[in-house]
Amino acid sequence: MRSQKRLSLFLLLLFFIPGILFLLGGGLGDLPLPSLSELWDGGANDAANAAVEESFFGRDALSYMAASLQTMLGRNQQNGCLYSTDGILQNLPDADEKITAENLAALQDYAAASPAPCYFLLSPTSVAIQQDKIPSLALDSLFNQKQYIQRCYSALSSRFHTIDGYNNLFAHQSEYLFYRTDSRLTALGCYYLYASAGEKLGYSARPIDDFSIAHPLHDYCGNLSPLVPYAQVKPDILSLFFYQRHNREIRLIENPLENTSSKELYDLSLLNGADPLQVYLGANGGVADLVADNTPFNGRLLVFTDGGCNALFPLMAIHYRQIRVVDFRSATASQLALIQPEEFDQVLFAFSLDSFGYERILSSISGKK
């Protein structure tokens, strides 16, 4: 009963405060009176709306209040996102079938010419995994990402080894797998992809207890925050995994094609930059190497990715002598021309569904634009 009274009071204030703020901001001010023709064709309404938006200095406060009310009443939608206090989930439309076909064809062409075995990991987004955060009425309208991933895997020839990351993520859906304010996987979400990939890539994934986990950033606001600026979503925590066994050290080479020297794996100064997630592979230069010291492994892995799961590769690096990560979104044509696939034992394509199904992400290796 008390909660209903509070909600009624909130609704009452929501109706009266806009008028008060509008009058305090100058009221009608210099708003011109409409002509008869403007009244007839609706132009007066557009002019009035524009004037109110310009003069209404309390619109941010009102928007914040409206978002608060919508959150109290249940999850709301804005700019293609579902949101509530526990996070923002990007609600993807159906994937573009033409783009999907082109990306799959590019994979096939690459595998046909590759001397090394090829692997494909297509990762779902949060809206497919965290279905417990979605209103039941909205579930039926969601794009079926699991079915889409299975269809993409089935379309590839036997030259490709596909990696199922969906089921392991779904089995741990109650854990902190995706950021609340970002479309990308957290370090923990990437750990479960690492565990899923081991069987296909040929390594035995280490239990999570073999890693120490640091949390150097507690107020991260990611790429979904601007889409829902008034949502009252708690900022995210950024985590770093450190392997604690066998004195194995992983080092980073940010620009290996330019013969730069190696450095410590995680550059904490990047946490203060525009994209703190660069901490996983260094400032985005298109190509980065992860090299292991004191390792019994000799394997070399070439990775093509879209930047959606960069925390995955430092975990994989404990099983290889070298991992070269090529980010298709930032690698230049000259960098791609310098990549020598024959120098590597395995080739992994690791993409997030929100890029693979909607962007010609593989045009740089297929020759198609």
Side-chain angles (χ1 to χ4, degrees):
M1 189 65 156
R2 184 174 297 177
S3 61
Q4 291 179 343
K5 289 182 178 178
R6 289 177 179 173
L7 182 58
S8 298
L9 178 61
F10 191 93
L11 287 168
L12 187 63
L13 291 172
L14 189 63
F15 280 108
F16 278 101
I17 287 177
I20 295 171
L21 292 174
F22 180 56
L23 291 174
L24 290 175
L28 294 175
D30 297 326
L31 179 63
L33 293 175
S35 65
L36 289 175
S37 60
E38 288 175 327
L39 288 172
W40 179 259
D41 63 17
N45 182 56
D46 294 338
N49 285 338
V52 169
E53 287 181 0
E54 291 177 1
S55 62
F56 189 12
F57 74 90
R59 63 184 181 274
D60 286 343
L62 177 61
S63 297
Y64 185 90
M65 292 174 61
S68 298
L69 175 61
Q70 291 161 343
T71 300
M72 290 171 59
L73 297 176
R75 184 173 299 280
N76 186 42
Q77 297 191 46
Q78 183 180 357
N79 291 328
C81 296
L82 300 164
Y83 74 90
S84 71
T85 54
D86 56 357
I88 303 169
L89 295 86
Q90 196 166 24
N91 188 11
L92 297 175
D94 290 356
D96 187 300
E97 292 299 324
K98 182 178 179 181
I99 290 176
T100 297
E102 291 177 3
N103 284 334
L104 288 171
L107 288 177
Q108 296 276 47
D109 292 344
Y110 188 94
S114 174
C118 294
Y119 303 80
F120 184 37
L121 170 60
L122 185 55
S123 176
T125 69
S126 59
V127 75
I129 299 300
Q130 298 176 318
Q131 296 183 9
D132 57 320
K133 296 182 179 181
I134 299 173
S136 56
L137 292 177
L139 285 173
D140 290 340
S141 64
L142 294 180
F143 173 49
N144 192 326
Q145 294 190 25
K146 183 177 183 179
Q147 187 179 81
Y148 174 81
I149 292 171
Q150 292 173 337
R151 184 157 50 87
C152 287
Y153 284 179
S154 298
L156 295 173
S157 70
S158 59
R159 292 188 61 84
F160 257 101
H161 307 274
T162 57
I163 297 171
D164 175 21
Y166 186 100
N167 285 327
N168 204 12
L169 290 173
F170 196 82
H172 295 273
Q173 62 177 281
S174 62
E175 300 178 38
Y176 188 42
L177 306 180
F178 294 89
Y179 294 106
R180 290 181 289 268
T181 66
D182 198 288
S183 60
R184 291 166 284 189
L185 284 157
T186 65
L188 180 60
C190 287
Y191 171 81
Y192 288 118
L193 290 186
Y194 154 77
S196 300
E199 181 180 353
K200 290 294 181 72
L201 287 171
Y203 62 77
S204 297
R206 300 295 186 255
I208 200 167
D209 291 341
D210 283 357
F211 299 86
S212 66
I213 305 174
H215 309 286
L217 189 63
H218 290 76
D219 58 354
Y220 173 59
C221 292
N223 58 23
L224 296 180
S225 296
L227 297 178
V228 193
Y230 300 105
Q232 291 81 59
V233 179
K234 184 179 178 181
D236 283 295
I237 298 171
L238 194 149
S239 303
L240 304 176
F241 278 56
F242 297 88
Y243 186 55
Q244 295 298 293
R245 300 295 182 95
H246 310 300
N247 296 318
R248 197 163 303 155
E249 181 183 10
I250 309 300
R251 296 185 65 81
L252 174 70
I253 304 176
E254 287 186 324
N255 295 294
L257 300 177
E258 299 177 7
N259 297 316
T260 54
S261 59
S262 65
K263 58 191 293 186
E264 289 188 8
L265 176 58
Y266 299 125
D267 181 356
L268 298 185
S269 68
L270 294 172
L271 296 174
N272 301 317
D275 183 7
L277 297 193
Q278 286 185 342
V279 72
Y280 294 114
L281 287 177
N284 199 351
V287 181
D289 274 10
L290 297 166
V291 293
D293 296 331
N294 301 318
T295 178
F297 302 111
N298 291 312
R300 286 179 164 82
L301 173 67
L302 175 61
V303 176
F304 293 107
T305 188
D306 57 5
C309 57
N310 284 350
L312 166 64
F313 310 119
L315 298 171
M316 287 183 169
I318 65 176
H319 304 284
Y320 292 89
R321 182 167 298 277
Q322 175 195 11
I323 295 181
R324 174 158 295 172
V325 182
V326 181
D327 188 335
F328 272 132
R329 284 183 162 166
S330 55
T332 64
S334 59
Q335 285 178 316
L336 291 172
L338 292 174
I339 302 296
Q340 302 295 326
E342 64 274 7
E343 296 178 357
F344 297 88
D345 305 297
Q346 298 170 309
V347 180
L348 169 65
F349 290 85
F351 293 104
S352 178
L353 189 147
D354 58 353
S355 65
F356 189 85
Y358 307 87
E359 303 173 32
R360 290 176 174 83
I361 199 77
L362 289 162
S363 60
S364 53
I365 64 168
S366 69
K368 300 177 181 178
K369 300 295 182 183

